Amino acid sequence: MRKKVLAIALCAMMVMTAFTGCGNSGNSGETKSGDSGDKVKVSLLVTGSFGDKAFNDSAQEGMKKLEAELSDKVDVEMIEMGNDKTKFEGALLDASESDSDIIIVGTWDMKEILENTAPEFPDKKYIIFDTDVDYSLGGLDNVYSMSYKQNEAGFLAGALAASVTTSDMEYANKDAVIGFVGAKDTAAVINDSAVGYIEGAQFINPDIKVMVSYVGSYVDSATAKELALTQYSSGADCVFVAAGPASSGVIEAAAEKRKYVIGVDSDQALAYEGEEEANYIISSAIKGVGTTIYNSIERDLAGELPYGTYEQLGLADGAVGLADNDIYQSVVPETIRQSVKDVEKKLLDGDVQVDTAYGMDEATLKQIINSAQ
């Protein structure tokens, strides 16, 4: 806030000395969302760093698309905050005190920090993805929050894995056994993927076995790898991973065991393009973080982004889905791909309902997980 005080003092001095008035200076220099003429400065702050081959890279893609397609209207800034959580608040304060007009942050790590910061800067606009904020706290009319229906993407991943596991594909075995490796068992966002995955697999084969393991961390790729190796050794031939940066460990395990893996968040086969690991990533359960960031800024520029509200975005919004790339097309048989398309259509038409871990009591969640193993 000290920078604001200095700015006000400087304006006062300028008025007193009969130079350009503070009000006129503000009108010519400020960049506000929706104003014609001046560009809007959009700043993305990510926890961790880019190059995670998952969540942050997806967000970065959205910002690069803004830079490429809306450069006449938008200036883009991307900031890596690192993994030291004690620095997150300071980074958000610095961005809020800068010339940024719209500040984008993501995930539950930033939820409380944003709830405390946004009310102090009512002239700024904030977007938070993959979580919501508690609007009942007040002062958050300048915050738009969005999360994703990863249970829907998980359902498609489960349908794919269940179809693959007893198929004639090269690395499949005859056992109807698949796996799931998640980050934290306390995270609703991870459990939402698990619930969707289990229900999608059971939609294809009610008797399928789904092994479920949790890393206990979003960054411990070594533990993620060990969990996946155990699942592969126990009969799973396809594992769905939802563990953020730690997902790389599961992909390494798939390559070592020559088994299949379904990635998460971004199209992870593309992230491993040209590397051996890519051949085993048959698809990814995508959260279109980059797409929804881009769309949100477009909506803001049109004056249509509903600040002060929370939205959940899913298949119908183009926000989640399965990656459809060259590996998926060449490795997964057409009959299986068509089956997955049929399942997607049933979801979109409302013929199939997927449970969500959000708001689900612990007993029900455990029952869903335990009954599948």
Side-chain angles (χ1 to χ4, degrees):
M1 300 300 288
R2 186 175 300 169
K3 294 180 182 178
K4 287 188 172 184
V5 173
L6 290 173
I8 292 170
L10 180 58
C11 280
M13 290 175 63
M14 292 170 70
V15 171
M16 291 175 65
T17 54
F19 287 103
T20 303
C22 182
N24 291 336
S25 175
N27 289 336
S28 62
E30 290 180 351
T31 55
K32 298 295 183 183
S33 303
D35 284 356
S36 59
D38 291 326
K39 289 186 180 182
V40 173
K41 183 172 180 181
V42 182
S43 297
L44 169 69
L45 282 65
V46 298
T47 58
S49 59
F50 298 118
D52 64 347
K53 296 182 170 62
F55 219 65
N56 289 343
D57 285 358
S58 179
Q60 186 180 44
E61 287 173 10
M63 296 294 283
K64 287 181 176 179
K65 185 178 179 182
L66 283 174
E67 194 170 31
E69 299 183 9
L70 296 176
S71 60
D72 59 326
K73 300 177 181 178
V74 171
D75 281 329
V76 167
E77 177 183 43
M78 291 180 275
I79 299 170
E80 299 170 308
M81 294 190 290
N83 295 312
D84 185 351
K85 295 183 180 181
T86 63
K87 296 182 179 180
F88 293 172
E89 184 174 9
L92 182 57
L93 284 171
D94 285 344
S96 299
E97 293 177 341
S98 74
D99 60 348
S100 295
D101 299 295
I102 305 174
I103 300 162
I104 305 172
V105 295
T107 77
W108 59 273
D109 277 334
M110 295 300 297
K111 172 183 168 71
E112 185 175 350
I113 294 172
L114 183 58
E115 289 171 344
N116 293 332
T117 303
E120 298 296 320
F121 299 90
D123 57 324
K124 300 293 183 180
K125 293 180 178 180
Y126 299 88
I127 297 171
I128 186 167
F129 57 85
D130 207 36
T131 188
D132 63 347
V133 293
D134 184 357
Y135 290 101
S136 69
L137 295 173
L140 298 172
D141 292 342
N142 56 340
V143 178
Y144 168 70
S145 54
M146 59 182 172
S147 67
Y148 309 97
K149 297 179 181 178
Q150 55 274 315
N151 59 329
E152 293 183 346
F155 193 93
L156 295 179
L160 173 60
S163 300
V164 164
T165 187
T166 54
S167 72
D168 294 328
M169 290 173 61
E170 184 176 2
Y171 303 124
N173 58 46
K174 295 181 180 180
D175 301 325
V177 180
I178 58 177
F180 173 84
V181 175
K184 294 185 176 183
D185 61 0
T186 56
V189 65
I190 299 299
N191 287 326
D192 206 36
S193 291
V195 168
Y197 182 65
I198 291 168
E199 293 187 352
Q202 292 175 336
F203 181 78
I204 299 297
N205 179 1
D207 298 320
I208 196 168
K209 178 179 179 181
V210 185
M211 291 183 282
V212 177
S213 303
Y214 292 92
V215 181
S217 163
Y218 284 90
V219 296
D220 188 353
S221 58
T223 297
K225 181 176 181 178
E226 288 303 316
L227 293 172
L229 288 172
T230 298
Q231 291 188 356
Y232 287 130
S233 297
S234 300
D237 47 21
C238 186
V239 171
F240 173 38
V241 58
S247 299
S248 61
V250 178
I251 293 170
E252 290 175 13
E256 283 188 19
K257 286 291 187 178
R258 294 172 68 84
K259 298 294 183 182
Y260 299 116
V261 60
I262 299 173
V264 72
D265 295 337
S266 64
D267 188 344
Q268 293 195 298
L270 297 182
Y272 285 88
E273 191 171 9
E275 301 177 33
E276 175 67 14
E277 289 87 348
N279 299 315
Y280 305 94
I281 309 171
I282 54 174
S283 188
S284 296
I286 292 177
K287 285 185 187 179
V289 177
T291 298
T292 54
I293 284 176
Y294 180 89
N295 291 345
S296 294
I297 298 303
E298 270 199 323
R299 293 169 70 189
D300 175 274
L301 294 174
E304 297 173 355
L305 191 64
Y307 289 96
T309 63
Y310 163 62
E311 293 183 325
Q312 271 193 306
L313 308 174
L315 275 174
D317 307 290
V320 302
L322 282 186
D324 185 354
N325 53 38
D326 290 343
I327 294 175
Y328 182 68
Q329 290 288 331
S330 61
V331 174
V332 180
E334 168 62 24
T335 53
I336 293 179
R337 287 185 276 120
Q338 185 58 52
S339 176
V340 173
K341 282 184 181 179
D342 293 342
V343 171
E344 181 176 9
K345 186 176 187 305
K346 290 180 185 295
L347 285 170
L348 287 169
D349 291 345
D351 296 333
V352 175
Q353 302 296 321
V354 189
D355 287 325
T356 176
Y358 287 105
M360 181 179 288
D361 62 85
E362 187 175 354
T364 301
L365 176 62
K366 286 185 176 179
Q367 194 276 330
I368 290 173
I369 292 173
N370 292 337
S371 65
Q373 299 195 73

